[in-house]
Amino acid sequence: MKNAMLAVVATAFLALSSHPAFAEAHEDTAPGWSLAIHGGAGTLDPDAMTPERRAQYEAGLQEALDAGRAILASGGSAMDAVKAAIVPLEDNPLFNAGRGAVFTWDGVNELDASIMDGRDRSAGAVTGVTTIKNPILLADAVRTESPHVFLMGEGAEEFALEQGYEVTPPEWFATETRRQSLERMKAEEMSALDVDTKFGTVGAVALDQDGNMAAGTSTGGMTGKRWGRIGDAPVIGAGTYADNRSCAVSATGWGEYFIRVGVAQEICTRLRFTHMLAPQVVLEKVASEEKPVEVLVQEISQGIADAVMAEVRELGGDGGVIVVTPEGHALYSFNTSGMYRGRVTSAGVNEVAIFGGDVSASDTPDH
């Protein structure tokens, strides 16, 4: 029944989006922008987090939001906003990306990142780098300064040196908390899922005043990862995707399942075809809903993100996504007890949240 209702609402939205009344209602609206970020999703327990620790996480999320907001509010690009938001998260040892990244089985901090521009679907990604302070910036250099999309390990670092990036020593990335996690995993013969209750990844998605979207994701992977394991974060289409025709997505979670579903592109593709395929004959149905167009549009987008995350859950995977749409909706969807997240929009929304019961984009319309 729920899926049938979502299909009706989606069809209604498509008809509305091309209807003259919809266009007229938005003609005089000033160009809007929006930004959403995440810092990982997982089994988070409010009772296990002290007020001081929570305040630290919230401050870190707000710092990232403020950095991205400064770009977007001044008319800057979605791409620049995504990078500006992710860099402080990579530099913050609370998050598993850049500084504070988890250790591999061999005691190394290996970093992955990807970024994508919705204007032309250009993309860049790196995996297995160990000397790059901000992998998200190197991923963007792959996008703009190389003929490739994805570079790995030593080759990626050689490219970084040619581009003028400094070599960052391993002490910058290593933290005692992450080292203890690896030691506990080995001593107690635990899995990465047991030792890490949170899938550590950071990401950002943005819509700028020109209507362009971008997405970026950065991670240290999973504690104790072996054999050159690569998760979804650096994989375009799984952990990161942006397309001006549909949306921008950044994911966090059990990467193997996000790769199998192709989560980021799957969400964008479903939204794009939703925009393309509905007939006009459902306008009467839309009118009967007695909801503002903006609310219907948000419900459709949220429903699509939730449906894809439900598919991940059905396969056995956990995690979440952040999404921005061409209409400026900044959304979250996660199938875990919590996700470090935040959003800010030109409509005046500014919020950060951690646990499932906190205020989220699916609870509060942003228009």
Side-chain angles (χ1 to χ4, degrees):
M1 178 64 71
K2 181 179 179 181
N3 289 339
M5 180 59 69
L6 283 175
V8 170
V9 176
T11 305
F13 162 62
L14 290 170
L16 269 176
S17 65
S18 59
H19 192 266
F22 180 86
E24 291 173 9
H26 291 77
E27 274 183 0
D28 298 327
T29 303
W33 52 266
S34 62
L35 171 73
I37 62 171
H38 70 74
T43 306
L44 307 178
D45 182 1
D47 295 331
M49 181 176 288
T50 66
E52 293 77 14
R53 190 70 166 175
R54 178 167 184 157
Q56 290 176 339
Y57 275 109
E58 290 176 343
L61 293 169
Q62 190 62 57
E63 180 185 7
L65 283 178
D66 290 344
R69 182 215 314 261
I71 300 293
L72 295 171
S74 63
S77 72
M79 285 293 292
D80 287 343
V82 162
K83 289 182 288 183
I86 290 178
V87 164
L89 295 173
E90 289 180 326
D91 292 343
N92 190 327
L94 290 174
F95 301 100
N96 174 19
R99 191 180 191 188
V102 299
F103 285 90
T104 68
W105 184 264
D106 296 323
V108 178
N109 304 114
E110 288 184 350
L111 314 172
D112 307 328
S114 62
I115 195 166
M116 188 166 185
D117 190 334
R119 293 175 295 184
D120 58 3
R121 284 172 283 165
S122 60
V126 294
T127 187
V129 298
T130 60
T131 67
I132 306 303
K133 180 180 179 182
N134 295 115
I136 195 66
L137 300 182
L138 180 59
D140 194 47
V142 172
R143 180 184 71 89
T144 60
E145 304 301 327
S146 86
H148 307 301
V149 170
F150 204 169
L151 301 182
M152 64 175 285
E154 293 180 2
E157 294 183 346
E158 180 181 349
F159 171 76
L161 289 175
E162 293 179 2
Q163 295 299 312
Y165 285 78
E166 295 182 359
V167 173
T168 303
E171 304 83 59
W172 166 259
F173 306 103
T175 63
E176 187 58 29
T177 299
R178 301 299 191 188
R179 194 181 302 277
Q180 290 175 2
S181 293
L182 177 64
E183 292 172 355
R184 189 168 71 255
M185 176 185 183
K186 289 184 174 182
E188 301 179 23
E189 297 183 352
M190 302 166 70
S191 73
L193 300 180
D194 292 327
V195 75
D196 284 331
T197 58
K198 176 175 76 69
F199 296 105
T201 300
V202 305
V205 290
L207 168 75
D208 62 33
Q209 295 185 40
D210 293 325
N212 296 315
M213 290 180 285
T217 312
S218 182
T219 189
M222 300 179 77
T223 297
K225 62 183 180 180
R226 305 175 73 177
W227 312 300
R229 180 263 185 188
I230 300 170
D232 65 301
V235 178
I236 300 300
T240 302
Y241 203 76
D243 185 343
N244 278 6
R245 299 173 298 175
S246 54
C247 65
V249 179
S250 174
T252 174
W254 195 343
E256 281 71 12
Y257 291 92
F258 281 68
I259 292 172
R260 288 164 59 185
V261 175
V263 165
Q265 187 173 17
E266 180 72 8
I267 292 172
C268 288
T269 298
R270 292 190 190 189
L271 272 170
R272 180 161 62 92
F273 279 97
T274 299
H275 279 78
M276 291 171 58
L277 299 179
Q280 295 288 328
V281 294
V282 297
L283 281 170
E284 294 80 3
K285 176 63 179 176
V286 173
S288 71
E289 293 289 334
E290 297 183 352
K291 291 181 179 179
V293 171
E294 291 86 352
V295 173
L296 284 170
V297 171
Q298 181 168 342
E299 288 180 353
I300 294 157
S301 302
Q302 185 72 54
I304 287 173
D306 290 346
V308 174
M309 286 309 303
E311 187 173 330
V312 172
R313 167 66 82 182
E314 289 170 3
L315 293 178
D318 293 336
V321 294
I322 52 175
V323 183
V324 294
T325 70
E327 299 79 25
H329 301 294
L331 310 172
Y332 326 113
S333 181
F334 51 97
N335 60 23
T336 55
S337 62
M339 180 168 75
Y340 295 94
R341 60 198 188 276
R343 64 173 187 153
V344 60
T345 75
S346 55
V349 172
N350 186 107
E351 64 184 37
V352 295
I354 298 176
F355 304 105
D358 295 343
V359 173
S360 73
S362 59
D363 299 323
T364 305
D366 55 359
H367 289 273

